[in-house]
Amino acid sequence: MDLPPITEEVLNQPPPFGDVNLATLDTPLMESAAAAGHGEAIAAFGAAWGSAARLELGRLANANPPLLHTHDAQGRRRDQVEFHPAYHTLMGESVAAGLHCSGWDVAGRADLVRRAAHLYLVTQAEAGHVCPLTMTHAAPAALAASPQLLRDWLPRIRSRRYDGRFLPFWEKAGVTIGMGMTEKQGGSDVRANITRAIPTGGDEYEITGHKWFFSAPMSDAFLVLAQAPAGLTCLLMPRFRPDGAVNGLRLMRLKDKLGNRSNASGEVEFERAFAWRVGEEGRGVRTILRMVQLTRLDCAVSSAGLMRLALTLALHHARHRSAFQRRLVDQPAMAMVLADLALEAEAATALALRLAASFEDEAANGGPRDGEAARARLLTPAVKFALCKTAPAFVFEAMEALGGNGYVEEGMMPRLYREAPVNAIWEGAGNMLALDLLRGAARDPHAVHTLLAELKADAVGLPGVPAFSDALERLIAGGAAPEAHARRAAQDLSILAAAAALARTAPPEVAEAYAATRLARPRGGYGTNAVEDACDLLLARAGAA
């Protein structure tokens, strides 16, 4: 029996993913960007971050995670983290684009919709290096509690030149700012912190203690919480003391994390480390929460970006792979799964960018609009809760669409799958976010009523909206919801807000499909929801590489 010759020819496999425009593939993103006047700029940005070279930098940065050097060859403390060159290149590109500062280029916070679209695209190429950029972008919100510190640091934060050298901040072309709140015994309960801040004169302190998670440990300064004489206080701790000596930050080790491998997260001990007080003693939580609101927004946006790339990879595979004489995307069962995923991703994109617009309007032109300020305040924990919890299961379903190819490390999907959970844990895990929503609702019942009325008006006419919104108002109006129902309140508020966002930006068929399968009835597993009437439209809007 003659056997066919062994060949290196590869049949029925998709081409390598790369040299694609991550923005123009994504009709929902482009429509939102065009409505905000950013369409052309977002398209150019999507081409740069979808290039094969940029995607390869993301692979290299994760395949070569950072290394900690605690001492030099002679035994002197170094406490430096070494990154692969790919990481520095990615940082340089993102800093040049202003991902770390573009909300602060003018007085107040502005242009946050365009920045959110940039973050959404950058996350798809490489999510880990976004961590220091997110914290740097949010830091001025906390520093505003100490105007002199803000004046000293904001010009360096606004710089579009990345400078990864280990030097005092005043010698550098640009700076990044990290964060340290969590301690071994406290976790989310920062009021259990035991690190001490001793006043040494004016707004200067010496800090002794530890942080169990210390984010982006090669940053130029860190916002930390410590117990001062009047209680828990926010402080800014530079890597170098004002006299030029290295500050008393002792990096003990780097965390060996599930994902987020390109980014360093450390454990640190402080030995009489120098710091400046930010805001009033005893009001540290209130001060740092100004920053946390912005980082929570970024968590939601980047989760939407991870979902979008997972969908793109699944579509790329399904449009090029055949089984049983038909392309996978033309198989009815697979088409329903992909369309359901596309619907979820489109809702996530619309919801995240609408929330970013609330932050932008809050501070534009000299002051907040009451409705937008309340929207940002109340929706942020709910949207962060929902999108960050949706992303891991979403990425898993997209991975399954690739079969075995989705489960091997040569592809991008395993990295996305490991990356997705971090946003749900960072800056407040699910219970904390849901309880924050309830606390906000209890403080301002009128704002809750107004927000729900606005969402209901935006989504008017969609299936299930009246009954769903009425039940939600009964649940949280007046701040009466019991803690046991906190997660339900956060989940339902985000679903209603997503339907309202889609009603503003998406074709009616898309908004109706979402409401019919998420509001009128509980969502089932992907591929089990009745999206067949909008299937072709959803797949066309999702695009394919």
Side-chain angles (χ1 to χ4, degrees):
M1 177 179 178
D2 292 332
L3 296 175
I6 296 174
T7 176
E8 291 296 320
E9 184 179 4
V10 176
L11 302 174
N12 196 26
Q13 288 281 1
F17 181 80
D19 287 330
V20 298
N21 189 316
L22 295 173
T24 57
L25 282 176
D26 188 346
T27 298
L29 173 68
M30 289 304 297
E31 288 179 350
S32 295
H38 303 314
E40 186 175 339
I42 297 301
F45 197 80
W49 283 90
S51 70
R54 195 68 56 86
L55 296 175
E56 175 64 5
L57 289 173
R59 185 193 71 80
L60 287 169
N62 283 273
N64 299 275
L67 300 172
L68 173 62
H69 301 286
T70 57
H71 295 78
D72 67 12
Q74 291 74 40
R76 289 181 286 266
R77 294 288 314 200
R78 286 181 62 185
D79 296 296
Q80 290 181 257
V81 180
E82 177 187 2
F83 294 89
H84 189 272
Y87 172 91
H88 291 295
T89 302
L90 289 165
M91 285 290 291
E93 294 291 344
S94 290
V95 167
L99 207 66
H100 69 301
C101 71
S102 56
W104 305 93
D105 282 344
V106 296
R109 295 192 294 273
D111 211 10
L112 287 180
V113 173
R114 180 167 65 175
R115 180 184 174 274
H118 284 174
L119 174 65
Y120 172 95
L121 294 168
V122 167
T123 296
Q124 295 180 48
E126 204 294 296
H129 81 288
V130 167
C131 174
L133 301 169
T134 284
M135 290 185 294
T136 303
H137 181 261
L143 294 177
S146 290
Q148 183 58 54
L149 283 176
L150 184 64
R151 284 192 294 270
D152 290 345
W153 284 83
L154 190 56
R156 294 176 173 87
I157 290 172
R158 284 175 171 163
S159 170
R160 299 294 181 99
R161 294 174 59 194
Y162 171 63
D163 191 339
R165 296 175 299 167
F166 189 50
L167 292 172
F169 72 91
W170 57 86
E171 297 181 21
K172 297 184 65 171
V175 299
T176 57
I177 295 180
M179 181 191 292
M181 291 195 287
T182 304
E183 298 184 6
K184 298 184 186 74
Q185 73 287 341
S188 297
D189 183 10
V190 294
R191 295 190 186 278
N193 284 7
I194 58 175
T195 294
R196 296 293 175 184
I198 306 301
T200 59
D203 62 354
E204 297 180 357
Y205 289 70
E206 282 187 346
I207 301 180
T208 299
H210 80 282
K211 294 297 172 185
W212 185 232
F213 281 90
F214 199 58
S215 297
M218 280 307 292
S219 297
D220 297 288
F222 306 89
L223 285 160
V224 301
L225 291 176
Q227 296 287 358
L232 198 61
T233 300
C234 181
L235 302 109
L236 182 68
M237 179 187 296
R239 280 306 305 267
F240 289 81
R241 300 173 63 89
D243 63 4
V246 178
N247 207 355
L249 286 74
R250 303 293 181 247
L251 298 177
M252 308 309 291
R253 63 171 176 166
L254 299 184
K255 297 290 192 182
D256 187 6
K257 297 174 291 185
L258 169 69
N260 202 244
R261 304 288 290 181
S262 68
N263 174 50
S265 303
E267 297 172 22
V268 65
E269 292 183 356
F270 305 134
E271 297 182 9
R272 300 177 65 183
F274 173 88
W276 295 284
R277 176 171 44 80
V278 181
E280 298 177 39
E281 271 197 13
R283 298 177 66 84
V285 173
R286 181 183 295 271
T287 300
I288 211 156
L289 279 178
R290 301 176 184 179
M291 176 182 185
V292 168
Q293 275 288 87
L294 286 167
T295 54
R296 285 178 173 178
L297 170 65
D298 279 10
C299 286
V301 171
S302 62
S303 289
L306 293 174
M307 291 166 62
R308 171 62 217 188
L309 181 61
L311 173 64
T312 299
L313 294 172
L315 284 167
H316 176 71
H317 181 85
R319 291 195 189 279
H320 291 93
R321 176 84 163 178
S322 295
F324 310 107
Q325 291 77 53
R326 282 191 295 182
R327 294 186 308 162
L328 290 180
V329 74
D330 296 326
Q331 306 276 1
M334 179 62 79
M336 283 288 285
V337 171
L338 294 171
D340 212 358
L341 289 170
L343 179 60
E344 195 73 31
E346 183 158 348
T349 301
L351 180 59
L353 292 181
R354 177 64 184 94
L355 181 60
S358 295
F359 278 79
E360 183 172 298
D361 285 345
E362 180 185 351
N365 301 318
R369 298 190 327 205
D370 289 343
E372 292 301 313
R375 180 185 290 261
R377 186 171 64 253
L378 291 169
L379 276 184
T380 297
V383 173
K384 199 265 192 191
F385 172 92
L387 295 190
C388 297
K389 288 220 169 288
T390 298
F394 184 102
V395 174
F396 161 72
E397 193 68 54
M399 177 189 289
E400 187 178 302
L402 274 67
N405 283 359
Y407 199 66
V408 296
E409 293 293 342
E410 285 87 349
M412 297 176 67
M413 202 68 84
R415 171 154 50 100
L416 290 182
Y417 190 53
R418 289 192 298 269
E419 192 73 37
V422 71
N423 284 328
I425 297 169
W426 189 42
E427 299 296 34
N431 287 345
M432 294 297 299
L433 292 162
L435 292 171
D436 281 353
L437 169 63
L438 292 192
R439 282 189 285 268
R443 284 192 297 268
D444 196 348
H446 174 72
V448 174
H449 177 78
T450 300
L451 172 62
L452 292 176
E454 290 176 356
L455 295 177
K456 186 176 180 179
D458 286 345
V460 67
L462 294 180
V465 166
F468 190 94
S469 58
D470 289 348
L472 179 58
E473 181 149 18
R474 287 193 298 271
L475 179 63
I476 63 175
E483 288 189 2
H485 294 166
R487 284 189 169 220
R488 178 184 161 198
Q491 172 186 274
D492 288 358
L493 180 58
S494 69
I495 291 172
L496 181 60
L502 286 173
R504 293 165 60 100
T505 61
E509 301 93 326
V510 172
E512 288 167 6
Y514 183 85
T517 57
R518 273 71 171 170
L519 277 78
R521 65 181 67 90
R523 188 189 75 187
Y526 294 113
T528 70
N529 299 294
V531 300
E532 55 267 30
D533 290 346
C535 182
D536 292 342
L537 176 61
L538 287 164
L539 293 178
R541 288 172 61 78

